């Protein structure tokens, strides 16, 4: 049955990650999707505008190479410009706060049980 030792031991182990980390992961994926969509939009718009021959001010004259090349350059430039959209420092802050909290728990004298020693 479901309460046998074999069934209970065959279940997948529970995740040891906090709910906050799961939420941050979804937010990071959302930020990445937003960044990628903005970069694609910038690349497409740069290719379309270069096709209309309005001039691309950030490329030297004679180095256009067509709308696809201009779009690729603009896509890569947008990735570099918009890289701060994804806050990788959130994970670092979570790890630092977790380490500090673990240290305070470790040095807390009131959490010790002297009867077991």
């Amino acid at each position: 049955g479901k309460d046998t030792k074999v069934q209970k031991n065959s279940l997948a182990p529970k995740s040891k990650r906090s709910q906050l980390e799961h939420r941050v992961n979804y937010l990071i994926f959302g930020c990445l999707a937003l960044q990628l969509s903005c970069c694609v939009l910038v690349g497409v718009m740069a290719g379309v505008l270069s096709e209309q021959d309005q001039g691309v001010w950030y490329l030297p004259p004679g180095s256009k190479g067509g709308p696809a090349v201009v779009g690729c350059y603009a896509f890569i430039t947008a990735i570099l410009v918009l890289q701060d959209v994804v806050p990788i420092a959130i994970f670092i802050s979570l790890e630092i706060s977790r380490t500090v909290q673990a240290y305070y728990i470790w040095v807390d004298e009131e959490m010790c049980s002297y009867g077991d020693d």
Side-chain angles (χ1 to χ4, degrees):
K2 292 182 181 180
D3 292 333
T4 61
K5 188 175 185 179
V6 174
Q7 285 291 349
K8 288 190 176 193
N9 287 337
S10 67
L11 295 175
K14 289 186 176 181
S15 175
K16 298 198 180 206
R17 296 174 57 201
S18 67
Q19 290 179 357
L20 181 63
E21 285 183 42
H22 285 289
R23 288 183 188 151
V24 168
N25 278 344
Y26 287 123
L27 292 174
I28 293 293
F29 286 134
C31 289
L32 281 172
L34 176 69
Q35 179 185 2
L36 187 63
S37 63
C38 287
C39 292
V40 167
L41 180 67
V42 166
V44 168
M45 290 302 294
V48 168
L49 291 176
S50 71
E51 185 69 25
Q52 294 175 359
D53 200 32
Q54 293 183 4
V56 182
W57 59 270
Y58 55 87
L59 292 176
S63 66
K64 275 188 171 180
V69 174
V70 172
C72 288
Y73 283 148
F75 177 78
I76 293 170
T77 303
I79 287 177
L80 294 175
V81 169
L82 298 174
Q83 69 183 349
D84 292 331
V85 171
V86 181
I88 300 299
I90 289 177
F91 285 115
I92 296 169
S93 300
L94 284 173
E95 290 298 321
I96 289 172
S97 66
R98 186 177 298 135
T99 304
V100 169
Q101 288 172 353
Y103 173 75
Y104 282 131
I105 290 171
W106 184 63
V107 298
D108 191 7
E109 291 292 327
E110 293 180 9
M111 294 187 74
C112 292
S113 176
Y114 294 110
D116 295 339
D117 290 342

